[in-house]
Amino acid sequence: MKADVQSVVCASVPPAKGNGNETYTALVWRRLKRSWTGMIGLILVCLLMIMTIFAEFFAPVDPKLTGVGFAPPQTISMTDRNGNFVFPPRTYQIRETEELDPVTFQPIVGPDYDNPQTLGFFVKGFGYRLFGLIPAQRHFFGATDGSPVNFLGTDKFGRDVLSRIIYGSRISLMIALTVVFIITVVGTTVGMVSGYFGGRFDAWVQRFVELVLAFPQLPLYLALTSLIPVTAPTNVFLAFVIFVMSALGWAQLSREVRGKTLALARIDYVRAAMAIGATDRRIIFQHIFPNVMSHVIVAVTLAIPNVVLLESFLGFLGFAVKPPLISWGLMLQDTATYSVIGSYPWILAPVGFVLVTVFAFNALGDGLRDAVDPY
């Protein structure tokens, strides 16, 4: 009778999905999909990376092409000058008219209704080399006749703001990813080694870490970057900026990884590895490192927006990137005066991309933090 009851109960229980051998990566992905903010951040990060890699394809205008300075954004219209519906959509270039502004006596600019620009996708435009190798002329969107279209207006030299933002994402994100990579490698290695060996070695390493953390970072950034002469090559200046950011940013991650390593070094499987004669290097990188990797991944996603903000701030002050390179911080130099912001607000467009980038990585980092450690 008892066996019959057990068989009925077992038959009523639905079979488990899968084979029950779900990997840790699959478990984290399943938890991440439950976080709508984390998924939004992941989608935005993927779109930012695609835009950065294929910047020439997505830029509608050559970022070095000059035209009318401080031209307002061209609006996309579905009507002609008489209000009649037209398709496909069109826009009108901003041209200087023969009329003069009564206050500034500058030529008044306005839309050129006599020469509409038809818009489309995968149109031909300025030539470029994809990945520096493949010659191409196709662009994701723009005018079908290949003429320049300024969707976000132009800067003081008449260069397209949107195209410069897309190109500038390469430098800004390249600096952020390079700095965070160096910070992660150095901080994780120093933290694990210090926490594993402990004793006097750990004490001396932590005193050095505290010395690095005690530096006032902003004045030190300005002081160190000002040591590079203005005539220095752009590659040298960029490498020095990356070095300075990395040298001052690894200490905090090192302290966090050390704390986790101190706890992991006392776990049974680590002590068992010591007992059978495993080398210190094998224990650190084969047993301890996989267990701190989840924290490191979250720290990376939260550190990238901080570096993006820092680069934008230093670029605004003129201490990060020099022309002819393009970055979001360098573009914000045009907003140094209140009169420019009040008269030409579209110059603040790079701020919107910085905010989207910071939100995307922060949202992804919050989602990953809940996914890797739900408790």
Side-chain angles (χ1 to χ4, degrees):
M1 181 67 180
K2 185 177 179 180
D4 295 338
V5 173
Q6 290 179 349
S7 61
V8 172
V9 172
C10 293
S12 62
V13 178
K17 294 182 179 180
N19 56 4
N21 296 326
E22 187 176 26
T23 62
Y24 179 71
T25 303
L27 181 62
V28 171
W29 171 245
R30 182 162 57 85
R31 290 171 178 168
L32 180 61
K33 289 192 294 184
R34 297 175 182 173
S35 173
W36 64 272
T37 56
M39 292 304 297
I40 291 176
L42 178 61
I43 293 172
L44 290 177
V45 168
C46 293
L47 292 177
L48 284 171
M49 291 304 171
I50 293 174
M51 182 189 72
T52 302
I53 296 173
F54 302 99
E56 299 92 348
F57 173 68
F58 287 101
V61 183
D62 186 351
K64 298 179 182 179
L65 182 65
T66 59
V68 179
F70 289 128
Q74 296 178 229
T75 58
I76 301 176
S77 177
M78 299 291 292
T79 59
D80 58 13
R81 65 188 307 171
N82 298 321
N84 300 321
F85 177 79
V86 292
F87 186 83
R90 59 179 59 184
T91 186
Y92 303 94
Q93 282 190 331
I94 305 300
R95 301 288 188 184
E96 292 185 354
T97 63
E98 298 180 355
E99 302 179 3
L100 299 179
D101 189 286
V103 178
T104 62
F105 296 101
Q106 296 293 327
I108 298 177
V109 296
D112 184 7
Y113 290 107
D114 296 329
N115 299 295
Q117 296 173 287
T118 304
L119 302 179
F121 291 97
F122 304 103
V123 298
K124 286 188 177 181
F126 68 95
Y128 61 91
R129 287 187 175 271
L130 190 63
F131 305 118
L133 300 173
I134 307 173
Q137 289 184 327
R138 291 288 176 180
H139 297 269
F140 180 64
F141 61 96
T144 55
D145 60 357
S147 57
V149 182
N150 308 122
F151 292 103
L152 292 180
T154 62
D155 60 6
K156 60 183 178 181
F157 296 113
R159 298 170 299 190
D160 183 58
V161 172
L162 178 59
S163 299
R164 290 180 63 81
I165 289 175
I166 295 175
Y167 269 79
S169 65
R170 281 186 167 176
I171 298 298
S172 297
L173 292 180
M174 184 272 293
I175 292 176
L177 294 177
T178 305
V179 169
V180 171
F181 174 77
I182 297 174
I183 288 174
T184 303
V185 173
V186 176
T188 304
T189 304
V190 173
M192 289 191 303
V193 172
S194 177
Y196 174 76
F197 287 105
R200 183 174 297 180
F201 176 78
D202 178 51
W204 280 105
V205 171
Q206 293 311 305
R207 300 296 80 76
F208 179 72
V209 170
E210 292 172 358
L211 180 64
V212 176
L213 291 174
F215 275 110
Q217 294 192 3
L218 181 58
L220 192 61
Y221 283 132
L222 302 181
L224 292 178
T225 51
S226 62
L227 296 177
I228 298 296
V230 180
T231 57
T234 54
N235 294 334
V236 174
F237 195 91
L238 191 59
F240 186 76
V241 170
I242 292 175
F243 170 76
V244 171
M245 291 184 180
S246 304
L248 298 178
W250 63 269
Q252 183 61 39
L253 179 60
S254 172
R255 179 64 63 86
E256 297 172 1
V257 173
R258 171 186 174 267
K260 288 189 169 294
T261 304
L262 288 174
L264 292 171
R266 296 174 174 83
I267 294 180
D268 292 339
Y269 64 83
V270 176
R271 292 184 177 274
M274 295 179 182
I276 63 176
T279 62
D280 295 333
R281 179 179 178 182
R282 179 178 178 83
I283 294 174
I284 291 174
F285 290 101
Q286 295 292 332
H287 298 284
I288 295 179
F289 177 69
N291 290 278
V292 302
M293 192 62 187
S294 59
H295 176 82
V296 171
I297 293 175
V298 175
V300 166
T301 57
L302 296 178
I304 291 177
N306 293 332
V307 180
V308 171
L309 288 174
L310 179 61
E311 185 278 328
S312 300
F313 177 69
L314 294 178
F316 174 75
L317 297 178
F319 292 103
V321 176
K322 300 292 184 182
L325 297 179
I326 308 171
S327 73
W328 293 339
L330 184 63
M331 293 182 64
L332 291 175
Q333 287 185 357
D334 294 338
T335 64
T337 58
Y338 179 77
S339 59
V340 172
I341 298 176
S343 302
Y344 318 110
W346 56 87
I347 299 299
L348 289 172
V351 176
F353 282 78
V354 173
L355 292 177
V356 170
T357 303
V358 172
F359 167 77
F361 281 101
N362 279 332
L364 178 59
D366 289 339
L368 283 175
R369 181 172 54 192
D370 296 336
V372 299
D373 188 9
Y375 306 106

